[in-house]
Amino acid sequence: MKPDHLSDVTFASLNLHPRLLSGLEKLGYGHCTPIQAACLPRALAGQDLAGQAQTGTGKTAAFLLATMQHLLTNAPRSPEGVVAPGAFMLAPTRELAVQIYNDAKALGADTGLSMTVCYGGAGYEQQRAEIERGVDILIGTPGRLIDFYKQKLYTLDYVEIMVLDEADRMFDLGFIDDIRYLLRKMPPPAERKSYLFSATLSHRVLELAFEHMKPDVQKIEIEPEQVTAERVKQALLHISNSDKLQALVGLLRQHDPVRTLVFVNTKRDCEQVENALNLNGFEAATLSGDVAQTRRLKLLQDFKDGKLPILVATDVAARGLHISGVTHVINFDLPQDAADYVHRIGRTARAGAQGDAISFCCESYVYSLPDIENYIGMRIPALPESVEQLKAGVPYYVAPPRPSRDFRGGPRRGGGGGRPGGGRGGPRRR
């Protein structure tokens, strides 16, 4: 029986290449999600797409399948021996770039297409060597890709498909000049396919789409009745700053979560939360923007594998990461941007599952609450347990060391990417 969160459209009905259907079958995918059902027929018909959909609904698979279908059914444009990716995919963060790469490897396992991911902070020589061997699908973050491009390791003259994922985040992180630089090195919009996906199709994102895509670009928006995932059970607890750590420990003991993301606004506070949890019998680790890349990837893998039950994170983990089985998202701090609330709680209840999202509303970040509730179109219900009840569940609470005196605790912004492989030298279609 088809799960409720999927559409009636099957992948088999889309005339996809047999090697793609084989990969989908191995992954257990039979029906499209709504965004896939809306995008794939248009993309397969040759149209450019500007897509918006709720996080966790299958946007990545939509553009990957459309890309691979084109590459498998069309001869390469580039001359033999020239390092020239047929598809070029840009992501704002290392984690999202790696996620796209991992999904591409899984979906394209039987295709024979070569894929490489490039990102800053690690693997420079390895990434360089992989590009030099040639690649069909090049995935990465703007800085590292521009670095290699300026070294003339590859050319963008023969790009057939351009993908820009999380375009709104590109603006937020200041990458838009880099994006425009790379787009201008590619063939003009009329000579390539372009897929742009974003959590929000704001005016600035649409301006970018209309500037660098075909004039008849298809705008696709899949929005549920609620902005937040329907299967996320949300709750809110008003609390003082001084009670938050002990209440968090009590909450985790009472709810007994299997795999939990705890979101904190600053790296400094992440360390406090991690220390408090570890001192009180939980296994937790921090994921933030300045954690070394090799450790970041290991933490994410341990979290996905169930070896690490609690991941404390800044918003570096709020976008684009598909981690199945996250039972709880806890906003230790309310985010300062309402859209980030949706991205955070979207880490749970993915692919039709259910999950809990519990938010602490303290005096430092209470000002964010009206904007969040206005954005999601609902009042967040109160958590059944009181602060006193949660603290009572931790009679022997061990407090972590206090942060250094130069930190005053005011609201500040926090937060910030497989193994490459393949070669372009030989024929990519078999």
Side-chain angles (χ1 to χ4, degrees), residues 114-154:
S114 58
M115 311 164 195
T116 297
V117 61
C118 298
Y119 49 83
Y124 190 90
E125 292 302 327
Q126 181 183 7
Q127 293 170 18
R128 179 187 174 95
E130 295 294 343
I131 290 178
E132 288 176 331
R133 280 200 288 268
V135 60
D136 292 321
I137 302 175
L138 181 56
I139 306 162
T141 53
R144 181 59 61 89
L145 289 174
I146 289 175
D147 182 358
F148 288 148
Y149 177 79
K150 289 184 174 179
Q151 295 181 48
K152 302 187 184 303
L153 293 186
Y154 65 94

mmCIF file of all heavy atoms in Angstrom, residues 114-154:
data_model
loop_
_atom_site.group_PDB
_atom_site.id
_atom_site.type_symbol
_atom_site.label_atom_id
_atom_site.label_comp_id
_atom_site.label_asym_id
_atom_site.label_seq_id
_atom_site.Cartn_x
_atom_site.Cartn_y
_atom_site.Cartn_z
ATOM 1 N N SER A 114 30.243 9.069 -13.449
ATOM 2 C CA SER A 114 31.246 9.410 -12.442
ATOM 3 C C SER A 114 30.837 10.685 -11.720
ATOM 4 O O SER A 114 30.304 11.618 -12.325
ATOM 5 C CB SER A 114 32.617 9.594 -13.096
ATOM 6 O OG SER A 114 32.559 10.601 -14.091
ATOM 7 N N MET A 115 31.066 10.724 -10.413
ATOM 8 C CA MET A 115 30.633 11.837 -9.577
ATOM 9 C C MET A 115 31.727 12.196 -8.586
ATOM 10 O O MET A 115 32.420 11.329 -8.070
ATOM 11 C CB MET A 115 29.367 11.448 -8.808
ATOM 12 C CG MET A 115 28.284 10.845 -9.667
ATOM 13 S SD MET A 115 27.037 9.982 -8.682
ATOM 14 C CE MET A 115 26.220 9.023 -9.970
ATOM 15 N N THR A 116 31.852 13.486 -8.331
ATOM 16 C CA THR A 116 32.847 13.966 -7.377
ATOM 17 C C THR A 116 32.245 15.107 -6.582
ATOM 18 O O THR A 116 31.467 15.900 -7.110
ATOM 19 C CB THR A 116 34.117 14.455 -8.105
ATOM 20 O OG1 THR A 116 34.709 13.357 -8.791
ATOM 21 C CG2 THR A 116 35.134 15.026 -7.129
ATOM 22 N N VAL A 117 32.617 15.199 -5.316
ATOM 23 C CA VAL A 117 32.173 16.308 -4.465
ATOM 24 C C VAL A 117 33.394 17.086 -3.986
ATOM 25 O O VAL A 117 34.415 16.501 -3.616
ATOM 26 C CB VAL A 117 31.336 15.804 -3.268
ATOM 27 C CG1 VAL A 117 32.124 14.877 -2.363
ATOM 28 C CG2 VAL A 117 30.773 16.978 -2.469
ATOM 29 N N CYS A 118 33.307 18.415 -4.011
ATOM 30 C CA CYS A 118 34.406 19.291 -3.605
ATOM 31 C C CYS A 118 33.908 20.299 -2.580
ATOM 32 O O CYS A 118 32.841 20.910 -2.767
ATOM 33 C CB CYS A 118 34.978 20.046 -4.801
ATOM 34 S SG CYS A 118 35.676 18.969 -6.068
ATOM 35 N N TYR A 119 34.671 20.494 -1.530
ATOM 36 C CA TYR A 119 34.312 21.440 -0.476
ATOM 37 C C TYR A 119 35.566 21.852 0.262
ATOM 38 O O TYR A 119 36.604 21.171 0.211
ATOM 39 C CB TYR A 119 33.311 20.806 0.498
ATOM 40 C CG TYR A 119 33.725 19.423 0.976
ATOM 41 C CD1 TYR A 119 34.619 19.250 2.026
ATOM 42 C CD2 TYR A 119 33.231 18.288 0.336
ATOM 43 C CE1 TYR A 119 35.005 18.003 2.439
ATOM 44 C CE2 TYR A 119 33.623 17.021 0.746
ATOM 45 C CZ TYR A 119 34.495 16.884 1.798
ATOM 46 O OH TYR A 119 34.892 15.631 2.198
ATOM 47 N N GLY A 120 35.494 22.964 0.940
ATOM 48 C CA GLY A 120 36.648 23.472 1.670
ATOM 49 C C GLY A 120 36.842 22.785 3.001
ATOM 50 O O GLY A 120 35.953 22.120 3.519
ATOM 51 N N GLY A 121 38.044 22.925 3.541
ATOM 52 C CA GLY A 121 38.314 22.429 4.888
ATOM 53 C C GLY A 121 38.950 21.066 4.955
ATOM 54 O O GLY A 121 39.414 20.665 6.016
ATOM 55 N N ALA A 122 38.963 20.334 3.857
ATOM 56 C CA ALA A 122 39.555 18.990 3.889
ATOM 57 C C ALA A 122 39.714 18.468 2.475
ATOM 58 O O ALA A 122 39.059 18.932 1.535
ATOM 59 C CB ALA A 122 38.667 18.032 4.702
ATOM 60 N N GLY A 123 40.602 17.473 2.325
ATOM 61 C CA GLY A 123 40.691 16.694 1.101
ATOM 62 C C GLY A 123 41.122 17.429 -0.136
ATOM 63 O O GLY A 123 40.727 17.045 -1.244
ATOM 64 N N TYR A 124 41.927 18.470 -0.009
ATOM 65 C CA TYR A 124 42.263 19.300 -1.162
ATOM 66 C C TYR A 124 42.913 18.489 -2.281
ATOM 67 O O TYR A 124 42.463 18.519 -3.428
ATOM 68 C CB TYR A 124 43.176 20.442 -0.729
ATOM 69 C CG TYR A 124 43.389 21.493 -1.781
ATOM 70 C CD1 TYR A 124 42.547 22.595 -1.863
ATOM 71 C CD2 TYR A 124 44.432 21.404 -2.700
ATOM 72 C CE1 TYR A 124 42.734 23.575 -2.831
ATOM 73 C CE2 TYR A 124 44.629 22.368 -3.674
ATOM 74 C CZ TYR A 124 43.776 23.454 -3.725
ATOM 75 O OH TYR A 124 43.949 24.422 -4.691
ATOM 76 N N GLU A 125 43.978 17.772 -1.976
ATOM 77 C CA GLU A 125 44.712 17.042 -3.009
ATOM 78 C C GLU A 125 43.880 15.895 -3.572
ATOM 79 O O GLU A 125 43.943 15.591 -4.766
ATOM 80 C CB GLU A 125 46.042 16.527 -2.447
ATOM 81 C CG GLU A 125 47.033 17.632 -2.115
ATOM 82 C CD GLU A 125 47.370 18.501 -3.328
ATOM 83 O OE1 GLU A 125 47.385 17.969 -4.465
ATOM 84 O OE2 GLU A 125 47.616 19.703 -3.150
ATOM 85 N N GLN A 126 43.111 15.245 -2.719
ATOM 86 C CA GLN A 126 42.265 14.150 -3.187
ATOM 87 C C GLN A 126 41.194 14.665 -4.145
ATOM 88 O O GLN A 126 40.952 14.086 -5.204
ATOM 89 C CB GLN A 126 41.612 13.440 -2.007
ATOM 90 C CG GLN A 126 40.730 12.270 -2.435
ATOM 91 C CD GLN A 126 40.017 11.618 -1.269
ATOM 92 O OE1 GLN A 126 40.070 12.104 -0.144
ATOM 93 N NE2 GLN A 126 39.338 10.513 -1.532
ATOM 94 N N GLN A 127 40.554 15.778 -3.778
ATOM 95 C CA GLN A 127 39.528 16.353 -4.637
ATOM 96 C C GLN A 127 40.127 16.803 -5.970
ATOM 97 O O GLN A 127 39.545 16.591 -7.037
ATOM 98 C CB GLN A 127 38.851 17.530 -3.934
ATOM 99 C CG GLN A 127 38.039 17.125 -2.713
ATOM 100 C CD GLN A 127 37.577 18.316 -1.905
ATOM 101 O OE1 GLN A 127 37.563 19.457 -2.380
ATOM 102 N NE2 GLN A 127 37.200 18.070 -0.664
ATOM 103 N N ARG A 128 41.304 17.397 -5.900
ATOM 104 C CA ARG A 128 41.991 17.845 -7.111
ATOM 105 C C ARG A 128 42.279 16.658 -8.039
ATOM 106 O O ARG A 128 42.031 16.712 -9.256
ATOM 107 C CB ARG A 128 43.294 18.543 -6.717
ATOM 108 C CG ARG A 128 44.120 19.042 -7.896
ATOM 109 C CD ARG A 128 45.475 19.565 -7.405
ATOM 110 N NE ARG A 128 46.308 19.896 -8.543
ATOM 111 C CZ ARG A 128 46.420 21.106 -9.078
ATOM 112 N NH1 ARG A 128 45.742 22.112 -8.562
ATOM 113 N NH2 ARG A 128 47.193 21.311 -10.120
ATOM 114 N N ALA A 129 42.762 15.564 -7.463
ATOM 115 C CA ALA A 129 43.091 14.382 -8.263
ATOM 116 C C ALA A 129 41.843 13.778 -8.896
ATOM 117 O O ALA A 129 41.880 13.315 -10.052
ATOM 118 C CB ALA A 129 43.796 13.342 -7.394
ATOM 119 N N GLU A 130 40.729 13.773 -8.156
ATOM 120 C CA GLU A 130 39.498 13.211 -8.692
ATOM 121 C C GLU A 130 38.989 14.021 -9.880
ATOM 122 O O GLU A 130 38.515 13.461 -10.872
ATOM 123 C CB GLU A 130 38.428 13.150 -7.600
ATOM 124 C CG GLU A 130 38.740 12.203 -6.454
ATOM 125 C CD GLU A 130 38.756 10.755 -6.895
ATOM 126 O OE1 GLU A 130 38.218 10.465 -7.988
ATOM 127 O OE2 GLU A 130 39.326 9.917 -6.177
ATOM 128 N N ILE A 131 39.089 15.351 -9.795
ATOM 129 C CA ILE A 131 38.668 16.185 -10.922
ATOM 130 C C ILE A 131 39.566 15.943 -12.127
ATOM 131 O O ILE A 131 39.093 15.840 -13.268
ATOM 132 C CB ILE A 131 38.670 17.671 -10.528
ATOM 133 C CG1 ILE A 131 37.549 17.958 -9.538
ATOM 134 C CG2 ILE A 131 38.508 18.557 -11.759
ATOM 135 C CD1 ILE A 131 37.501 19.387 -9.065
ATOM 136 N N GLU A 132 40.856 15.847 -11.896
ATOM 137 C CA GLU A 132 41.788 15.650 -13.001
ATOM 138 C C GLU A 132 41.507 14.357 -13.757
ATOM 139 O O GLU A 132 41.764 14.263 -14.960
ATOM 140 C CB GLU A 132 43.232 15.655 -12.479
ATOM 141 C CG GLU A 132 43.711 17.037 -12.048
ATOM 142 C CD GLU A 132 45.098 17.010 -11.452
ATOM 143 O OE1 GLU A 132 45.467 15.958 -10.874
ATOM 144 O OE2 GLU A 132 45.813 18.023 -11.544
ATOM 145 N N ARG A 133 40.956 13.351 -13.059
ATOM 146 C CA ARG A 133 40.623 12.088 -13.717
ATOM 147 C C ARG A 133 39.372 12.213 -14.582
ATOM 148 O O ARG A 133 39.106 11.352 -15.409
ATOM 149 C CB ARG A 133 40.437 10.975 -12.681
ATOM 150 C CG ARG A 133 41.751 10.402 -12.180
ATOM 151 C CD ARG A 133 41.553 9.037 -11.558
ATOM 152 N NE ARG A 133 40.887 9.126 -10.274
ATOM 153 C CZ ARG A 133 41.530 9.224 -9.112
ATOM 154 N NH1 ARG A 133 42.856 9.290 -9.091
ATOM 155 N NH2 ARG A 133 40.874 9.273 -7.986
ATOM 156 N N GLY A 134 38.607 13.287 -14.378
ATOM 157 C CA GLY A 134 37.396 13.501 -15.152
ATOM 158 C C GLY A 134 36.147 13.173 -14.361
ATOM 159 O O GLY A 134 36.165 12.324 -13.465
ATOM 160 N N VAL A 135 35.045 13.840 -14.690
ATOM 161 C CA VAL A 135 33.830 13.673 -13.903
ATOM 162 C C VAL A 135 32.618 14.041 -14.750
ATOM 163 O O VAL A 135 32.651 14.986 -15.540
ATOM 164 C CB VAL A 135 33.893 14.545 -12.625
ATOM 165 C CG1 VAL A 135 34.048 16.024 -12.946
ATOM 166 C CG2 VAL A 135 32.688 14.314 -11.730
ATOM 167 N N ASP A 136 31.546 13.273 -14.602
ATOM 168 C CA ASP A 136 30.279 13.589 -15.255
ATOM 169 C C ASP A 136 29.457 14.577 -14.439
ATOM 170 O O ASP A 136 28.874 15.505 -14.983
ATOM 171 C CB ASP A 136 29.450 12.312 -15.456
ATOM 172 C CG ASP A 136 30.063 11.375 -16.476
ATOM 173 O OD1 ASP A 136 30.583 11.870 -17.486
ATOM 174 O OD2 ASP A 136 30.034 10.146 -16.257
ATOM 175 N N ILE A 137 29.380 14.351 -13.133
ATOM 176 C CA ILE A 137 28.588 15.201 -12.236
ATOM 177 C C ILE A 137 29.520 15.777 -11.179
ATOM 178 O O ILE A 137 30.081 15.032 -10.367
ATOM 179 C CB ILE A 137 27.454 14.410 -11.572
ATOM 180 C CG1 ILE A 137 26.538 13.778 -12.623
ATOM 181 C CG2 ILE A 137 26.645 15.318 -10.641
ATOM 182 C CD1 ILE A 137 25.449 12.873 -12.053
ATOM 183 N N LEU A 138 29.687 17.086 -11.196
ATOM 184 C CA LEU A 138 30.557 17.763 -10.240
ATOM 185 C C LEU A 138 29.684 18.507 -9.234
ATOM 186 O O LEU A 138 28.878 19.361 -9.605
ATOM 187 C CB LEU A 138 31.495 18.727 -10.955
ATOM 188 C CG LEU A 138 32.501 19.498 -10.088
ATOM 189 C CD1 LEU A 138 33.363 18.544 -9.280
ATOM 190 C CD2 LEU A 138 33.376 20.398 -10.964
ATOM 191 N N ILE A 139 29.843 18.175 -7.958
ATOM 192 C CA ILE A 139 29.030 18.715 -6.867
ATOM 193 C C ILE A 139 29.951 19.434 -5.906
ATOM 194 O O ILE A 139 31.063 18.967 -5.628
ATOM 195 C CB ILE A 139 28.302 17.576 -6.122
ATOM 196 C CG1 ILE A 139 27.490 16.716 -7.104
ATOM 197 C CG2 ILE A 139 27.419 18.122 -5.006
ATOM 198 C CD1 ILE A 139 27.105 15.360 -6.549
ATOM 199 N N GLY A 140 29.522 20.567 -5.368
ATOM 200 C CA GLY A 140 30.376 21.203 -4.380
ATOM 201 C C GLY A 140 29.903 22.560 -3.914
ATOM 202 O O GLY A 140 28.840 23.050 -4.297
ATOM 203 N N THR A 141 30.737 23.163 -3.073
ATOM 204 C CA THR A 141 30.490 24.506 -2.557
ATOM 205 C C THR A 141 31.238 25.513 -3.431
ATOM 206 O O THR A 141 32.251 25.179 -4.058
ATOM 207 C CB THR A 141 30.954 24.612 -1.098
ATOM 208 O OG1 THR A 141 32.314 24.169 -1.007
ATOM 209 C CG2 THR A 141 30.087 23.742 -0.193
ATOM 210 N N PRO A 142 30.769 26.748 -3.475
ATOM 211 C CA PRO A 142 31.326 27.708 -4.441
ATOM 212 C C PRO A 142 32.813 27.967 -4.305
ATOM 213 O O PRO A 142 33.524 27.996 -5.320
ATOM 214 C CB PRO A 142 30.507 28.978 -4.166
ATOM 215 C CG PRO A 142 29.216 28.489 -3.594
ATOM 216 C CD PRO A 142 29.576 27.288 -2.783
ATOM 217 N N GLY A 143 33.316 28.165 -3.096
ATOM 218 C CA GLY A 143 34.714 28.555 -2.929
ATOM 219 C C GLY A 143 35.697 27.556 -3.492
ATOM 220 O O GLY A 143 36.597 27.909 -4.263
ATOM 221 N N ARG A 144 35.551 26.291 -3.122
ATOM 222 C CA ARG A 144 36.480 25.264 -3.595
ATOM 223 C C ARG A 144 36.335 25.049 -5.097
ATOM 224 O O ARG A 144 37.334 24.841 -5.805
ATOM 225 C CB ARG A 144 36.231 23.964 -2.821
ATOM 226 C CG ARG A 144 37.152 22.792 -3.175
ATOM 227 C CD ARG A 144 38.622 23.083 -2.962
ATOM 228 N NE ARG A 144 38.995 23.390 -1.608
ATOM 229 C CZ ARG A 144 39.358 22.501 -0.682
ATOM 230 N NH1 ARG A 144 39.361 21.214 -0.976
ATOM 231 N NH2 ARG A 144 39.725 22.896 0.524
ATOM 232 N N LEU A 145 35.117 25.093 -5.612
ATOM 233 C CA LEU A 145 34.917 24.905 -7.047
ATOM 234 C C LEU A 145 35.544 26.043 -7.859
ATOM 235 O O LEU A 145 36.123 25.813 -8.926
ATOM 236 C CB LEU A 145 33.424 24.795 -7.357
ATOM 237 C CG LEU A 145 32.755 23.494 -6.899
ATOM 238 C CD1 LEU A 145 31.253 23.554 -7.120
ATOM 239 C CD2 LEU A 145 33.353 22.284 -7.626
ATOM 240 N N ILE A 146 35.436 27.272 -7.360
ATOM 241 C CA ILE A 146 36.074 28.408 -8.041
ATOM 242 C C ILE A 146 37.591 28.272 -7.989
ATOM 243 O O ILE A 146 38.302 28.555 -8.967
ATOM 244 C CB ILE A 146 35.610 29.737 -7.426
ATOM 245 C CG1 ILE A 146 34.150 30.002 -7.802
ATOM 246 C CG2 ILE A 146 36.491 30.894 -7.886
ATOM 247 C CD1 ILE A 146 33.565 31.237 -7.154
ATOM 248 N N ASP A 147 38.115 27.830 -6.856
ATOM 249 C CA ASP A 147 39.555 27.617 -6.707
ATOM 250 C C ASP A 147 40.060 26.670 -7.792
ATOM 251 O O ASP A 147 41.019 26.979 -8.530
ATOM 252 C CB ASP A 147 39.829 27.036 -5.314
ATOM 253 C CG ASP A 147 41.309 26.816 -5.034
ATOM 254 O OD1 ASP A 147 42.148 27.072 -5.929
ATOM 255 O OD2 ASP A 147 41.648 26.377 -3.917
ATOM 256 N N PHE A 148 39.420 25.520 -7.935
ATOM 257 C CA PHE A 148 39.853 24.553 -8.930
ATOM 258 C C PHE A 148 39.616 25.053 -10.354
ATOM 259 O O PHE A 148 40.396 24.766 -11.266
ATOM 260 C CB PHE A 148 39.135 23.216 -8.718
ATOM 261 C CG PHE A 148 39.599 22.461 -7.490
ATOM 262 C CD1 PHE A 148 38.731 21.662 -6.779
ATOM 263 C CD2 PHE A 148 40.915 22.546 -7.069
ATOM 264 C CE1 PHE A 148 39.151 20.947 -5.673
ATOM 265 C CE2 PHE A 148 41.358 21.847 -5.954
ATOM 266 C CZ PHE A 148 40.471 21.044 -5.246
ATOM 267 N N TYR A 149 38.540 25.810 -10.557
ATOM 268 C CA TYR A 149 38.261 26.339 -11.897
ATOM 269 C C TYR A 149 39.348 27.312 -12.336
ATOM 270 O O TYR A 149 39.818 27.265 -13.475
ATOM 271 C CB TYR A 149 36.897 27.037 -11.913
ATOM 272 C CG TYR A 149 36.566 27.661 -13.243
ATOM 273 C CD1 TYR A 149 36.104 26.882 -14.309
ATOM 274 C CD2 TYR A 149 36.741 29.029 -13.456
ATOM 275 C CE1 TYR A 149 35.816 27.446 -15.540
ATOM 276 C CE2 TYR A 149 36.451 29.608 -14.687
ATOM 277 C CZ TYR A 149 36.003 28.811 -15.720
ATOM 278 O OH TYR A 149 35.725 29.379 -16.947
ATOM 279 N N LYS A 150 39.754 28.194 -11.414
ATOM 280 C CA LYS A 150 40.788 29.170 -11.749
ATOM 281 C C LYS A 150 42.148 28.514 -11.980
ATOM 282 O O LYS A 150 43.003 29.097 -12.639
ATOM 283 C CB LYS A 150 40.880 30.228 -10.650
ATOM 284 C CG LYS A 150 39.667 31.160 -10.629
ATOM 285 C CD LYS A 150 39.820 32.264 -9.598
ATOM 286 C CE LYS A 150 38.675 33.259 -9.692
ATOM 287 N NZ LYS A 150 38.782 34.344 -8.695
ATOM 288 N N GLN A 151 42.334 27.319 -11.444
ATOM 289 C CA GLN A 151 43.550 26.562 -11.744
ATOM 290 C C GLN A 151 43.446 25.819 -13.083
ATOM 291 O O GLN A 151 44.369 25.112 -13.467
ATOM 292 C CB GLN A 151 43.814 25.544 -10.634
ATOM 293 C CG GLN A 151 44.134 26.164 -9.283
ATOM 294 C CD GLN A 151 44.418 25.092 -8.250
ATOM 295 O OE1 GLN A 151 45.188 24.166 -8.501
ATOM 296 N NE2 GLN A 151 43.794 25.209 -7.083
ATOM 297 N N LYS A 152 42.292 25.963 -13.746
ATOM 298 C CA LYS A 152 42.039 25.325 -15.054
ATOM 299 C C LYS A 152 42.058 23.801 -14.968
ATOM 300 O O LYS A 152 42.455 23.102 -15.906
ATOM 301 C CB LYS A 152 43.042 25.817 -16.113
ATOM 302 C CG LYS A 152 43.031 27.331 -16.313
ATOM 303 C CD LYS A 152 43.900 27.758 -17.468
ATOM 304 C CE LYS A 152 43.963 29.268 -17.606
ATOM 305 N NZ LYS A 152 42.640 29.912 -17.757
ATOM 306 N N LEU A 153 41.597 23.269 -13.813
ATOM 307 C CA LEU A 153 41.479 21.818 -13.685
ATOM 308 C C LEU A 153 40.315 21.293 -14.509
ATOM 309 O O LEU A 153 40.299 20.124 -14.905
ATOM 310 C CB LEU A 153 41.293 21.420 -12.219
ATOM 311 C CG LEU A 153 42.467 21.651 -11.269
ATOM 312 C CD1 LEU A 153 42.140 21.073 -9.907
ATOM 313 C CD2 LEU A 153 43.736 21.024 -11.817
ATOM 314 N N TYR A 154 39.316 22.124 -14.720
ATOM 315 C CA TYR A 154 38.158 21.721 -15.508
ATOM 316 C C TYR A 154 37.607 22.952 -16.207
ATOM 317 O O TYR A 154 37.947 24.089 -15.878
ATOM 318 C CB TYR A 154 37.081 21.079 -14.629
ATOM 319 C CG TYR A 154 36.451 22.014 -13.622
ATOM 320 C CD1 TYR A 154 35.270 22.706 -13.918
ATOM 321 C CD2 TYR A 154 37.022 22.211 -12.361
ATOM 322 C CE1 TYR A 154 34.695 23.565 -13.005
ATOM 323 C CE2 TYR A 154 36.447 23.068 -11.439
ATOM 324 C CZ TYR A 154 35.288 23.735 -11.762
ATOM 325 O OH TYR A 154 34.713 24.588 -10.845
#
